[in-house]
Amino acid sequence: YDPVTPPSNGVKISSTLSKSQNFLFRGLGHGVIRGDTAEAGELSCAQQVVTQFLDHPESAVDSACVSKLPGAFD
């Protein structure tokens, strides 16, 4: 749902970055960090994924929360 930066661009870019990890957040667009909501005092799924990556870019991120996000039409 991002007409400016479609998912295919993320795939292309991630193939050129040695430590990249690419995730598709269903039902969310370019502002995924702000668009993915969480309970008060908790990190959203997108914030969890980004924080994990920034803390340990050489490790695979636990992305289980990504698959649990509802799509726009679910």
Side-chain angles (χ1 to χ4, degrees):
Y1 303 105
D2 186 348
V4 177
T5 311
S8 60
N9 284 7
V11 172
K12 288 177 189 175
I13 293 296
S14 67
S15 71
T16 67
L17 301 171
S18 64
K19 295 187 188 309
S20 71
Q21 297 180 50
N22 187 35
F23 302 98
L24 180 61
F25 291 82
R26 295 171 1 120
L28 297 171
H30 196 83
V32 67
I33 294 293
R34 293 183 311 274
D36 180 17
T37 59
E39 298 295 322
E42 294 184 15
L43 294 177
S44 70
C45 178
Q47 291 167 338
Q48 290 174 45
V49 168
V50 169
T51 300
Q52 286 179 54
F53 179 75
L54 292 176
D55 287 347
H56 303 284
E58 69 287 342
S59 300
V61 169
D62 176 2
S63 61
C65 65
V66 176
S67 64
K68 296 176 185 173
L69 291 173
F73 301 105
D74 288 352

